[in-house]
Amino acid sequence: NYLREMAVITPYARFEMLFKAEDPSKNFHILHSRRSEIMPPPPSKAKVHPSSIDNHALENLLHGTHEKTLVRFLTRELDCVSGDMARE
């Protein structure tokens, strides 16, 4: 089941498993071929959600930002923070 699930979520990969037991009747071979030759683009960096950030991570974000105002920092560096919410 695991190889089948992996083949479903990664159609650009080929999965093969060959098991040879002492008893030849228990040997098995599983093959899931590629369904696509196109690799997806690499994932982009996700913004931090305000409910999951701690003080240390917030401090690191503040030191690494180029934003000059708190409202711009909150809206551009954190996920799900609108301009109106940041101004409150």
Side-chain angles (χ1 to χ4, degrees):
N1 284 342
Y2 177 75
L3 286 179
R4 185 175 344 158
E5 291 170 4
M6 291 299 295
V8 167
I9 64 172
T10 52
Y12 48 85
R14 178 178 183 267
F15 293 95
E16 183 173 14
M17 180 177 173
L18 177 61
F19 178 77
K20 292 193 176 195
E22 289 182 17
D23 180 4
S25 67
K26 296 187 181 193
N27 292 349
F28 65 89
H29 179 239
I30 299 172
L31 174 64
H32 293 284
S33 298
R34 288 179 175 213
R35 295 186 320 274
S36 174
E37 294 295 323
I38 301 169
M39 288 288 292
S44 58
K45 185 177 177 182
K47 294 180 181 179
V48 179
H49 192 275
S51 67
S52 65
I53 194 167
D54 62 9
N55 290 343
H56 183 67
L58 181 61
E59 187 177 337
N60 286 341
L61 281 174
L62 285 167
H63 285 300
T65 189
H66 298 294
E67 303 302 334
K68 300 297 181 198
T69 66
L70 183 58
V71 171
R72 286 184 67 127
F73 167 76
L74 292 173
T75 57
R76 293 192 179 190
E77 299 291 333
L78 299 178
D79 192 28
C80 298
V81 178
S82 65
D84 292 337
M85 186 183 295
R87 284 182 205 86
E88 285 181 21

